[in-house]
Amino acid sequence: MSPATTRPTDSEDAAAAARAFLADFRSMSTFGATTGGGVDRQAGTAADGQTRNWFRGLVEGHGFEVRYDAVGNQFALLEIAPGAPYVAMGSHLDSQPLGGRFDGAYGVLAAAHAAIRLHDTPATAPAPVFNIAVINWFNEEGCRFKPSLMGSAVFTGKLPVEQVLATTDPHGTTVREALASIGTVGDFTLDVAAYLEIHIEQGRSLEDHGLTIGLVESTWGANKYEFVVHGEQAHTGATVIADRHDALLGASLLVAAARDIADEFSTDEHAVITSCGEFTVFPNSPVVVASRVDLLVDLRSTDAEVLATADAELHRRIAVIEERAAVSVERGAEHIWASKAYDSSGLELATASAKKLGLAHGTVRTLAGHDSTNMKDIVPTIMLFVPSVEGISHNEKELTSDEDMLAGVDLLTDLLGRVVGGEFVASNQNRN
Amino acid sequence: MSPATTRPTDSEDAAAAARAFLADFRSMSTFGATTGGGVDRQAGTAADGQTRNWFRGLVEGHGFEVRYDAVGNQFALLEIAPGAPYVAMGSHLDSQPLGGRFDGAYGVLAAAHAAIRLHDTPATAPAPVFNIAVINWFNEEGCRFKPSLMGSAVFTGKLPVEQVLATTDPHGTTVREALASIGTVGDFTLDVAAYLEIHIEQGRSLEDHGLTIGLVESTWGANKYEFVVHGEQAHTGATVIADRHDALLGASLLVAAARDIADEFSTDEHAVITSCGEFTVFPNSPVVVASRVDLLVDLRSTDAEVLATADAELHRRIAVIEERAAVSVERGAEHIWASKAYDSSGLELATASAKKLGLAHGTVRTLAGHDSTNMKDIVPTIMLFVPSVEGISHNEKELTSDEDMLAGVDLLTDLLGRVVGGEFVASNQNRN
């Protein structure tokens, strides 16, 4: 069970393990499959439930026990050090509508295969000091139920469980009802010592630099706002321009302002990324001036001061937009994530594994949020990326090559052996 | 039945007729009533069906026969000149979602009461040369099923009936299915000699000029476009700005451009009105760059040349937007209405009625489309307005005073007497 034995040394065993991973990946990708080559497995839907049950069957076949907590996080447990805390690995099986096959799902399956490989390897090393858990976090995507990273936020104490269970989707279905409908809910809790996550990059920096493995050194800071633009419903034909309070115009100007701000900072060392991902118009009828638009605007930067400057500029522009469109802009819920570094000793350990396996690697930052963003605040955490072809993500065309996927599983397997063996955190440091 | 007897001369009769109208108006407004004081009776819904059945009961109680055509236009017939063509009056009982109580519904009820009053008046005049029909046009609003003015477009040969019956709402329900579900469909056709319509103004020009009656002299020209902005779905966080093809940004810039164009022409004698009334984002998820936005843009002007100039400017700006947002803008269906005058002899006749009744009146143009916009292309047509308080329309707060509503019924009754008596069109001119 030492690092030297965590990867099949026999080339036939290695080839069989690779084939097994790719076969499981193809099976998994059939759940919620879309005609465009992606998947639609929004959290708590039937397709999400099917994928969870398929995953349960897969890992139970390899000796794992499967448990659920109160918000539907799925824990696949492999007890190899009775009574010890767990090294957890995970990601998410839910997807965006018309999402890709790799986002989240790759990380869950890679974690399961890393654990299986480690478990199946003849134990020639010291006994493990931790148990292993593979976690499929509930609702990482946040498209059906907001916010994103929901399951890991509850697990890490950032969101109250009752608030999450009462959260509704656009049709009024609660998380509680959705979880009951797919039946994957329980009252399990887990004692975690460390957390590892592997994910597709969803950007193009690895590809641009010819790297196979990204070692994530920090998250970007993000300010996410839910805005409501209030106008006045009116007839599009009969109402003269001067009498209009056009919520759609106000919201459109806000979208344009967000992009202008990103462009203003594009020459700065600490670039700002701005986005509007959701934009819903009421009543959205052909001949009616909109009374209201709900939209999300987010600003991201690696530098806290730059982010604050961009944020102030956004709010200055909102005042101008309110005047221009004769509307009022209400700021609703906000989600603020500070830029934060991952554990530096974890980076060193992952670097050692990548070097040993001869994988081209480098450090990267993540603009996207991941469940590790939450987990790193409560336990030592390592986050790894594999390349996304052309950086395309949240898209049916999302792609990571078989070769890169397998390199990631190899790396995670080696790293897991080290962490389970006590090289990342000592067994007596981690009871909390 | 001469003009002199079309209005009860006895003040008690007149007061009773006024009370009857207002009582019926209040009853009608309960169908699809919203908590905000408006109505939601989108075409072919249960609420639309209930209103139609209520209207049928009302007019049958006064001796009308009710028939339907293949697209659900509802005809209430009063045969007072056996074998003769019909003078038709009408408007629509369907509404916008969260629409007002007056838009359309006022005109249908005013027409029915004008016919009832004329019919109940002792016949001291020459026999009528036309029969009377009150028409409730199907789907004037065009919010559930596009385009607007659907029923009158089929009646006037502008839209094929089969195409209309196959038109779907956003949930995939066809007009055919919606009509079958409310049961108000048939195979009736009507021989129309002339058409009268009264409607709330939905603007503020009457109120601003202290007028009770608007005599509509022309429609504005309108170019209505259905645009599809095509981008590329991507992750809002991980995708750098340079790699984005953001359909929401492109569509937002189009909304802003449309308003800019209206402002550019605001000092011109022939002002341009621009609007975007429908704007639907795909996939509309919080952390996804939009792949597509469907939106409607319309430009209106009384002057054909000005409208053409504004239209060219819109299309010039679209090319700039495609570059700026790295998207493509596809122009789908378009609906072009040329500015067109109403029959001048009808204006003179309505002026005579208004003078006789002592009602403050003036000529106006309509920016909004009405079923009379279609009808005026096949028969001599008169269009009348009563004031809208503060010009508010397509809004639950839409309001026309009882006094103004009753003045409109009085005027329509007097005018109907003149038209049925042959003062607008001669009985031998109208068989087509």
Side-chain angles (χ1 to χ4, degrees), chain B residues 366-396:
Chain B
T366 176
L367 283 87
H370 295 290
D371 294 304
S372 74
T373 314
N374 284 326
M375 288 300 285
K376 75 175 166 22
D377 294 339
I378 67 162
V379 292
T381 292
I382 303 170
M383 180 84 204
L384 306 168
F385 281 166
V386 290
S388 296
V389 174
E390 291 180 17
I392 294 169
S393 184
H394 284 187
N395 184 307
E396 293 171 301

mmCIF file of all heavy atoms in Angstrom, chain B residues 366-396:
data_model
loop_
_atom_site.group_PDB
_atom_site.id
_atom_site.type_symbol
_atom_site.label_atom_id
_atom_site.label_comp_id
_atom_site.label_asym_id
_atom_site.label_seq_id
_atom_site.Cartn_x
_atom_site.Cartn_y
_atom_site.Cartn_z
ATOM 1 N N THR B 366 -53.232 55.391 -34.142
ATOM 2 C CA THR B 366 -53.009 54.295 -33.202
ATOM 3 C C THR B 366 -51.631 53.683 -33.414
ATOM 4 O O THR B 366 -51.258 53.323 -34.527
ATOM 5 C CB THR B 366 -54.092 53.208 -33.286
ATOM 6 O OG1 THR B 366 -53.723 52.145 -32.405
ATOM 7 C CG2 THR B 366 -54.264 52.646 -34.693
ATOM 8 N N LEU B 367 -50.852 53.621 -32.339
ATOM 9 C CA LEU B 367 -49.568 52.922 -32.383
ATOM 10 C C LEU B 367 -49.770 51.433 -32.192
ATOM 11 O O LEU B 367 -48.956 50.628 -32.614
ATOM 12 C CB LEU B 367 -48.641 53.434 -31.288
ATOM 13 C CG LEU B 367 -47.962 54.775 -31.511
ATOM 14 C CD1 LEU B 367 -48.842 55.906 -31.048
ATOM 15 C CD2 LEU B 367 -46.648 54.812 -30.779
ATOM 16 N N ALA B 368 -50.834 51.075 -31.506
ATOM 17 C CA ALA B 368 -51.108 49.668 -31.250
ATOM 18 C C ALA B 368 -51.853 49.072 -32.438
ATOM 19 O O ALA B 368 -52.555 49.770 -33.158
ATOM 20 C CB ALA B 368 -51.935 49.530 -29.985
ATOM 21 N N GLY B 369 -51.689 47.789 -32.653
ATOM 22 C CA GLY B 369 -52.474 47.098 -33.656
ATOM 23 C C GLY B 369 -53.824 46.711 -33.077
ATOM 24 O O GLY B 369 -53.953 46.461 -31.880
ATOM 25 N N HIS B 370 -54.861 46.714 -33.906
ATOM 26 C CA HIS B 370 -56.190 46.273 -33.477
ATOM 27 C C HIS B 370 -56.774 45.413 -34.580
ATOM 28 O O HIS B 370 -56.300 45.454 -35.713
ATOM 29 C CB HIS B 370 -57.085 47.491 -33.213
ATOM 30 C CG HIS B 370 -56.616 48.329 -32.076
ATOM 31 N ND1 HIS B 370 -56.685 47.898 -30.771
ATOM 32 C CD2 HIS B 370 -56.045 49.554 -32.039
ATOM 33 C CE1 HIS B 370 -56.176 48.835 -29.986
ATOM 34 N NE2 HIS B 370 -55.772 49.847 -30.726
ATOM 35 N N ASP B 371 -57.839 44.673 -34.250
ATOM 36 C CA ASP B 371 -58.455 43.849 -35.290
ATOM 37 C C ASP B 371 -58.970 44.714 -36.435
ATOM 38 O O ASP B 371 -59.006 44.272 -37.588
ATOM 39 C CB ASP B 371 -59.567 42.989 -34.678
ATOM 40 C CG ASP B 371 -58.988 41.971 -33.704
ATOM 41 O OD1 ASP B 371 -58.111 41.180 -34.115
ATOM 42 O OD2 ASP B 371 -59.375 41.974 -32.523
ATOM 43 N N SER B 372 -59.306 45.967 -36.147
ATOM 44 C CA SER B 372 -59.752 46.863 -37.223
ATOM 45 C C SER B 372 -58.629 47.135 -38.226
ATOM 46 O O SER B 372 -58.901 47.493 -39.373
ATOM 47 C CB SER B 372 -60.257 48.186 -36.639
ATOM 48 O OG SER B 372 -59.181 48.993 -36.192
ATOM 49 N N THR B 373 -57.360 46.963 -37.780
ATOM 50 C CA THR B 373 -56.228 47.118 -38.699
ATOM 51 C C THR B 373 -56.343 46.106 -39.833
ATOM 52 O O THR B 373 -56.049 46.412 -40.994
ATOM 53 C CB THR B 373 -54.894 46.890 -37.941
ATOM 54 O OG1 THR B 373 -54.908 47.612 -36.716
ATOM 55 C CG2 THR B 373 -53.698 47.295 -38.787
ATOM 56 N N ASN B 374 -56.768 44.891 -39.499
ATOM 57 C CA ASN B 374 -57.011 43.885 -40.534
ATOM 58 C C ASN B 374 -58.313 44.164 -41.287
ATOM 59 O O ASN B 374 -58.344 44.134 -42.518
ATOM 60 C CB ASN B 374 -57.088 42.489 -39.906
ATOM 61 C CG ASN B 374 -55.705 41.944 -39.533
ATOM 62 O OD1 ASN B 374 -54.724 42.218 -40.221
ATOM 63 N ND2 ASN B 374 -55.636 41.172 -38.462
ATOM 64 N N MET B 375 -59.394 44.459 -40.541
ATOM 65 C CA MET B 375 -60.718 44.586 -41.168
ATOM 66 C C MET B 375 -60.780 45.751 -42.160
ATOM 67 O O MET B 375 -61.461 45.676 -43.178
ATOM 68 C CB MET B 375 -61.800 44.736 -40.088
ATOM 69 C CG MET B 375 -62.061 43.456 -39.310
ATOM 70 S SD MET B 375 -62.631 42.076 -40.362
ATOM 71 C CE MET B 375 -64.341 42.582 -40.679
ATOM 72 N N LYS B 376 -60.047 46.829 -41.877
ATOM 73 C CA LYS B 376 -60.118 48.002 -42.755
ATOM 74 C C LYS B 376 -59.583 47.704 -44.150
ATOM 75 O O LYS B 376 -59.837 48.461 -45.090
ATOM 76 C CB LYS B 376 -59.395 49.192 -42.132
ATOM 77 C CG LYS B 376 -57.882 49.129 -42.177
ATOM 78 C CD LYS B 376 -57.284 50.417 -41.646
ATOM 79 C CE LYS B 376 -55.792 50.296 -41.351
ATOM 80 N NZ LYS B 376 -55.045 49.246 -42.033
ATOM 81 N N ASP B 377 -58.823 46.591 -44.279
ATOM 82 C CA ASP B 377 -58.307 46.242 -45.600
ATOM 83 C C ASP B 377 -59.330 45.509 -46.454
ATOM 84 O O ASP B 377 -59.113 45.320 -47.658
ATOM 85 C CB ASP B 377 -57.044 45.378 -45.463
ATOM 86 C CG ASP B 377 -55.902 46.159 -44.827
ATOM 87 O OD1 ASP B 377 -55.947 47.410 -44.877
ATOM 88 O OD2 ASP B 377 -54.977 45.531 -44.283
ATOM 89 N N ILE B 378 -60.449 45.079 -45.849
ATOM 90 C CA ILE B 378 -61.451 44.379 -46.677
ATOM 91 C C ILE B 378 -62.816 45.066 -46.699
ATOM 92 O O ILE B 378 -63.574 44.860 -47.636
ATOM 93 C CB ILE B 378 -61.621 42.884 -46.277
ATOM 94 C CG1 ILE B 378 -62.234 42.733 -44.880
ATOM 95 C CG2 ILE B 378 -60.293 42.120 -46.373
ATOM 96 C CD1 ILE B 378 -62.821 41.342 -44.642
ATOM 97 N N VAL B 379 -63.135 45.884 -45.703
ATOM 98 C CA VAL B 379 -64.435 46.598 -45.698
ATOM 99 C C VAL B 379 -64.247 47.999 -45.111
ATOM 100 O O VAL B 379 -63.308 48.228 -44.341
ATOM 101 C CB VAL B 379 -65.521 45.858 -44.858
ATOM 102 C CG1 VAL B 379 -65.932 44.550 -45.497
ATOM 103 C CG2 VAL B 379 -65.068 45.676 -43.421
ATOM 104 N N PRO B 380 -65.141 48.941 -45.442
ATOM 105 C CA PRO B 380 -65.100 50.258 -44.806
ATOM 106 C C PRO B 380 -65.172 50.105 -43.283
ATOM 107 O O PRO B 380 -66.024 49.353 -42.780
ATOM 108 C CB PRO B 380 -66.343 50.962 -45.362
ATOM 109 C CG PRO B 380 -66.575 50.302 -46.680
ATOM 110 C CD PRO B 380 -66.189 48.860 -46.464
ATOM 111 N N THR B 381 -64.271 50.780 -42.590
ATOM 112 C CA THR B 381 -64.086 50.542 -41.157
ATOM 113 C C THR B 381 -63.967 51.858 -40.399
ATOM 114 O O THR B 381 -63.353 52.810 -40.895
ATOM 115 C CB THR B 381 -62.817 49.681 -40.966
ATOM 116 O OG1 THR B 381 -63.073 48.370 -41.487
ATOM 117 C CG2 THR B 381 -62.408 49.571 -39.498
ATOM 118 N N ILE B 382 -64.542 51.882 -39.220
ATOM 119 C CA ILE B 382 -64.424 53.046 -38.329
ATOM 120 C C ILE B 382 -63.849 52.565 -37.001
ATOM 121 O O ILE B 382 -64.330 51.589 -36.418
ATOM 122 C CB ILE B 382 -65.801 53.712 -38.076
ATOM 123 C CG1 ILE B 382 -66.444 54.129 -39.408
ATOM 124 C CG2 ILE B 382 -65.654 54.917 -37.141
ATOM 125 C CD1 ILE B 382 -67.903 54.583 -39.267
ATOM 126 N N MET B 383 -62.820 53.260 -36.520
ATOM 127 C CA MET B 383 -62.167 52.884 -35.261
ATOM 128 C C MET B 383 -62.255 54.062 -34.297
ATOM 129 O O MET B 383 -61.893 55.190 -34.643
ATOM 130 C CB MET B 383 -60.698 52.559 -35.540
ATOM 131 C CG MET B 383 -59.884 52.155 -34.320
ATOM 132 S SD MET B 383 -60.079 50.397 -33.943
ATOM 133 C CE MET B 383 -59.680 50.379 -32.187
ATOM 134 N N LEU B 384 -62.717 53.782 -33.079
ATOM 135 C CA LEU B 384 -62.922 54.817 -32.058
ATOM 136 C C LEU B 384 -62.139 54.481 -30.800
ATOM 137 O O LEU B 384 -61.977 53.316 -30.451
ATOM 138 C CB LEU B 384 -64.415 54.878 -31.694
ATOM 139 C CG LEU B 384 -65.397 55.073 -32.849
ATOM 140 C CD1 LEU B 384 -66.826 54.818 -32.366
ATOM 141 C CD2 LEU B 384 -65.258 56.479 -33.424
ATOM 142 N N PHE B 385 -61.686 55.512 -30.100
ATOM 143 C CA PHE B 385 -60.998 55.331 -28.813
ATOM 144 C C PHE B 385 -61.731 56.065 -27.707
ATOM 145 O O PHE B 385 -62.301 57.135 -27.935
ATOM 146 C CB PHE B 385 -59.575 55.911 -28.862
ATOM 147 C CG PHE B 385 -58.551 55.047 -29.529
ATOM 148 C CD1 PHE B 385 -57.322 55.598 -29.885
ATOM 149 C CD2 PHE B 385 -58.776 53.701 -29.792
ATOM 150 C CE1 PHE B 385 -56.340 54.822 -30.496
ATOM 151 C CE2 PHE B 385 -57.805 52.922 -30.408
ATOM 152 C CZ PHE B 385 -56.588 53.489 -30.761
ATOM 153 N N VAL B 386 -61.660 55.502 -26.507
ATOM 154 C CA VAL B 386 -61.996 56.248 -25.284
ATOM 155 C C VAL B 386 -60.701 56.339 -24.458
ATOM 156 O O VAL B 386 -59.774 55.554 -24.666
ATOM 157 C CB VAL B 386 -63.133 55.569 -24.475
ATOM 158 C CG1 VAL B 386 -64.462 55.680 -25.209
ATOM 159 C CG2 VAL B 386 -62.789 54.115 -24.166
ATOM 160 N N PRO B 387 -60.630 57.294 -23.530
ATOM 161 C CA PRO B 387 -59.353 57.555 -22.840
ATOM 162 C C PRO B 387 -58.920 56.423 -21.902
ATOM 163 O O PRO B 387 -59.741 55.728 -21.309
ATOM 164 C CB PRO B 387 -59.631 58.822 -22.025
ATOM 165 C CG PRO B 387 -60.826 59.454 -22.666
ATOM 166 C CD PRO B 387 -61.648 58.311 -23.185
ATOM 167 N N SER B 388 -57.588 56.281 -21.768
ATOM 168 C CA SER B 388 -56.964 55.426 -20.750
ATOM 169 C C SER B 388 -56.325 56.352 -19.720
ATOM 170 O O SER B 388 -55.518 57.211 -20.089
ATOM 171 C CB SER B 388 -55.854 54.573 -21.368
ATOM 172 O OG SER B 388 -56.358 53.670 -22.313
ATOM 173 N N VAL B 389 -56.651 56.170 -18.440
ATOM 174 C CA VAL B 389 -56.062 57.017 -17.403
ATOM 175 C C VAL B 389 -54.537 56.865 -17.413
ATOM 176 O O VAL B 389 -54.022 55.744 -17.339
ATOM 177 C CB VAL B 389 -56.642 56.650 -16.018
ATOM 178 C CG1 VAL B 389 -55.910 57.430 -14.912
ATOM 179 C CG2 VAL B 389 -58.134 56.945 -15.981
ATOM 180 N N GLU B 390 -53.847 57.972 -17.557
ATOM 181 C CA GLU B 390 -52.384 58.029 -17.614
ATOM 182 C C GLU B 390 -51.791 57.171 -18.727
ATOM 183 O O GLU B 390 -50.589 56.877 -18.722
ATOM 184 C CB GLU B 390 -51.751 57.632 -16.270
ATOM 185 C CG GLU B 390 -52.012 58.659 -15.183
ATOM 186 C CD GLU B 390 -51.384 58.278 -13.845
ATOM 187 O OE1 GLU B 390 -50.498 57.411 -13.835
ATOM 188 O OE2 GLU B 390 -51.795 58.843 -12.829
ATOM 189 N N GLY B 391 -52.616 56.744 -19.664
ATOM 190 C CA GLY B 391 -52.112 55.960 -20.793
ATOM 191 C C GLY B 391 -51.661 54.559 -20.431
ATOM 192 O O GLY B 391 -51.076 53.855 -21.252
ATOM 193 N N ILE B 392 -51.929 54.133 -19.200
ATOM 194 C CA ILE B 392 -51.448 52.819 -18.742
ATOM 195 C C ILE B 392 -52.247 51.701 -19.410
ATOM 196 O O ILE B 392 -53.479 51.723 -19.398
ATOM 197 C CB ILE B 392 -51.552 52.719 -17.208
ATOM 198 C CG1 ILE B 392 -50.590 53.714 -16.556
ATOM 199 C CG2 ILE B 392 -51.302 51.294 -16.726
ATOM 200 C CD1 ILE B 392 -50.808 53.884 -15.064
ATOM 201 N N SER B 393 -51.549 50.721 -19.992
ATOM 202 C CA SER B 393 -52.237 49.581 -20.599
ATOM 203 C C SER B 393 -51.353 48.349 -20.558
ATOM 204 O O SER B 393 -50.171 48.440 -20.273
ATOM 205 C CB SER B 393 -52.613 49.900 -22.037
ATOM 206 O OG SER B 393 -53.365 48.837 -22.584
ATOM 207 N N HIS B 394 -51.940 47.202 -20.878
ATOM 208 C CA HIS B 394 -51.256 45.905 -20.705
ATOM 209 C C HIS B 394 -50.699 45.843 -19.293
ATOM 210 O O HIS B 394 -49.569 45.431 -19.060
ATOM 211 C CB HIS B 394 -50.154 45.705 -21.756
ATOM 212 C CG HIS B 394 -50.703 45.351 -23.110
ATOM 213 N ND1 HIS B 394 -49.922 44.987 -24.164
ATOM 214 C CD2 HIS B 394 -51.978 45.273 -23.550
ATOM 215 C CE1 HIS B 394 -50.691 44.728 -25.222
ATOM 216 N NE2 HIS B 394 -51.934 44.903 -24.861
ATOM 217 N N ASN B 395 -51.520 46.198 -18.368
ATOM 218 C CA ASN B 395 -51.115 46.368 -16.979
ATOM 219 C C ASN B 395 -52.380 46.238 -16.154
ATOM 220 O O ASN B 395 -53.448 46.705 -16.551
ATOM 221 C CB ASN B 395 -50.499 47.774 -16.816
ATOM 222 C CG ASN B 395 -49.947 48.032 -15.432
ATOM 223 O OD1 ASN B 395 -50.626 47.862 -14.432
ATOM 224 N ND2 ASN B 395 -48.686 48.455 -15.387
ATOM 225 N N GLU B 396 -52.258 45.622 -14.982
ATOM 226 C CA GLU B 396 -53.438 45.453 -14.122
ATOM 227 C C GLU B 396 -54.041 46.797 -13.706
ATOM 228 O O GLU B 396 -55.197 46.867 -13.329
ATOM 229 C CB GLU B 396 -53.052 44.658 -12.871
ATOM 230 C CG GLU B 396 -52.666 43.208 -13.175
ATOM 231 C CD GLU B 396 -52.093 42.502 -11.964
ATOM 232 O OE1 GLU B 396 -51.079 42.984 -11.436
ATOM 233 O OE2 GLU B 396 -52.675 41.476 -11.555
#
